[in-house]
Amino acid sequence: MTKLSSPAAAGSGKSQVIALVLVALLGGLGIHRFYLGYTWQGIVQILTAGGCGIWALIDLIRICTGDLQPKGGTYAKTF
C-alpha cells in the first residue's frame, strides 16, 4: 500500500543530511534554521552568533536525533 503525502508533509524535499552539514559548518549563523523554514529563529541565531555556539550545538544534536524537523513536515531524505 502506498502512502500519499503532500509536499508540506514531506518537508518540501528537505534533507536531514543537508541540514546536518549546514549546522556543522554554519551553525553560528543559523543558516540551517532558514533551510528548515524557521526564519525567525534563524534571525535570532544570526544576531546572537548561535547563542555563542550553544544553540548551534543543541541544534546539531537535535538534527542528528531527528528531533528538529522541517517546519510543517518531516524530512524527505534521512540518513
Side-chain angles (χ1 to χ4, degrees):
M1 200 151 113
T2 60
K3 181 179 175 185
L4 298 176
S5 64
S6 68
S12 300
K14 304 295 182 191
S15 169
Q16 186 178 15
V17 174
I18 292 176
L20 182 64
V21 169
L22 288 173
V23 73
L25 298 178
L26 304 168
L29 296 176
I31 302 302
H32 61 286
R33 286 287 185 157
F34 289 106
Y35 175 72
L36 294 174
Y38 300 102
T39 305
W40 181 245
Q41 288 92 343
I43 292 169
V44 172
Q45 281 196 350
I46 286 175
L47 296 175
T48 64
C52 295
I54 294 171
W55 195 358
L57 179 62
I58 291 169
D59 282 352
L60 176 76
I61 294 166
R62 290 183 67 205
I63 290 172
C64 285
T65 61
D67 185 47
L68 183 57
Q69 298 281 329
K71 188 172 186 175
T74 59
Y75 290 110
K77 296 180 183 180
T78 61
F79 38 76

